[in-house]
Amino acid sequence: MRIRVLTLFPELIMETVQTSILGRALEAGLLDVRAVNIRDYAFNKHHKVDDYPYGGGAGMLMQAEPVYLAYEAASKDLNKNTRVIYTTPQGKTFDQKMAAEFAREEDLVILCGHYEGIDERLLEEIVTDHVSIGDYVLTGGELPALIMIDAIARLIPGVLHNAESADTETFENNLLEYPQYSRPEVWHDKKVPDVLLSGHHENVEKWRHEQSVRRTLAARPDLFERYLSEK
Ligand code: ADE
C-alpha cells in the first residue's frame, strides 16, 4: 500500500513509521509511506503557507494553493480516484471498521489538519473523507495520521507475524480482550487464576469469554449493547 502524507512536520511522520513493526513493513516493501512537506510548495521566499481569514477572527489559515501543489506532487504516481483523508475533529470518528475499509485501498493520501484550519475551497476540491480520531482537540493532524496509518497497516496481509495477530478479534465481535498471565505463577502474592493452569481447554475458553463479557459491560456499555444485538 502506498500512503502519502501532506504535512508541515514530515520528520515526525517518517521517524515514527520507520520504528518497530511499521518500519519492518516498510523494509519488506509491504508499505510505502512518504511525507510531503507542504512548506516546500509555498510560493514566497519565506516559505509561508498561512494567511489571515477573510471576515476576521483569531489565528491564521493554511492557504489553498500550497496544499494543492503538495497534493498534486504527492499523488502523481498514485492511482486516479485515490481517497484523500483529512484529519479533523469535525470528521467521522475513526474505528476498526474504518481501518479495515481503508486497508483495502491500494493508495491513500492523508492531509494533516492544521490547528488553525485550512481554506475550505481546498478541502472541497480534494478531500474525500473527513476523519476524527476521537472527541478531543489536538494541535495538529500528524498524530491522528500516525494513529490511522498504524491501525491500517497492521491489517495489510504480511505486516503482522502470526504471534502478533493473536489479538485481531478485539472489536470484531464487539468484546474487549480477556486478561492474560505469564510466568511466574505467583507474583506479589497474586496467583494466576487456577483455570488457566488446569489444562482444561474448554474451561479456559469459557472463562476467557466470561472475562471479556464482564470487562466490556464494565468499561464499555456502548460496545456491550452492540455485542448483545449483533451476536
Ligand atoms: N486534529 C485535531 N484534533 C483532531 C482529532 N481529534 N482527530 C483528528 N484530527 C484532529
Side-chain angles (χ1 to χ4, degrees):
M1 171 182 247
R2 295 177 293 197
I3 301 179
R4 302 293 177 256
V5 183
L6 312 180
T7 172
L8 292 176
F9 303 100
E11 304 83 6
L12 177 57
I13 302 292
M14 294 316 295
E15 291 256 338
T16 309
V17 298
Q18 279 160 12
T19 303
S20 187
I21 294 174
L22 296 196
R24 188 180 70 197
L26 289 179
E27 291 204 347
L30 295 165
L31 191 61
D32 168 20
V33 179
R34 292 184 207 169
V36 174
N37 192 345
I38 295 166
R39 218 178 281 288
D40 290 346
Y41 297 88
F43 36 81
N44 53 71
K45 65 174 188 291
H46 306 291
H47 298 285
K48 200 171 87 67
V49 294
D50 51 8
D51 207 338
Y52 296 99
Y54 282 117
M60 305 279 274
L61 218 53
M62 193 128 68
Q63 292 168 284
E65 186 64 5
V67 182
Y68 189 68
L69 294 176
Y71 162 73
E72 281 198 315
S75 60
K76 66 174 185 293
D77 61 332
L78 303 183
N79 291 321
K80 295 273 163 279
N81 304 320
T82 292
R83 289 168 81 167
V84 179
I85 304 168
Y86 174 53
T87 61
T88 166
Q90 274 83 47
K92 186 172 168 200
T93 308
F94 188 67
D95 62 8
Q96 191 64 34
K97 193 162 154 260
M98 211 189 282
E101 187 189 314
F102 287 136
R104 287 194 292 272
E105 299 287 325
E106 269 181 53
D107 299 330
L108 284 176
V109 173
I110 304 178
L111 168 58
C112 296
H114 188 241
Y115 60 106
E116 296 156 328
I118 303 183
D119 191 305
E120 189 68 21
R121 293 167 296 184
L122 177 279
L123 302 177
E124 285 170 7
E125 187 99 350
I126 71 168
V127 172
T128 59
D129 300 88
H130 290 65
V131 183
S132 164
I133 59 159
D135 288 342
Y136 38 81
V137 181
L138 303 167
T139 55
E142 281 72 20
L143 294 175
L146 286 165
I147 283 170
M148 287 192 261
I149 292 169
D150 193 288
I152 293 165
R154 68 187 284 291
L155 299 176
I156 297 170
V159 167
L160 292 188
H161 294 163
N162 278 345
E164 295 160 350
S165 358
D167 69 322
T168 48
E169 292 303 298
T170 312
F171 295 116
E172 271 170 28
N173 55 6
N174 297 317
L175 286 178
L176 302 179
E177 289 283 293
Y178 48 78
Q180 302 206 77
Y181 305 85
S182 183
R183 285 194 288 184
E185 264 185 51
V186 182
W187 181 81
H188 282 204
D189 290 336
K190 293 174 189 285
K191 200 175 170 309
V192 174
D194 283 332
V195 62
L196 300 180
L197 310 172
S198 69
H200 194 300
H201 186 66
E202 225 172 274
N203 286 353
V204 169
E205 286 309 302
K206 193 163 154 265
W207 181 86
R208 286 179 167 167
H209 180 71
E210 232 172 69
Q211 293 292 318
S212 283
V213 169
R214 275 171 201 262
R215 287 190 154 191
T216 310
L217 181 58
R220 292 288 307 275
D222 58 317
L223 205 57
F224 188 73
E225 283 300 314
R226 287 232 295 275
Y227 162 69
L228 289 182
S229 67
E230 290 174 25
K231 85 173 171 172

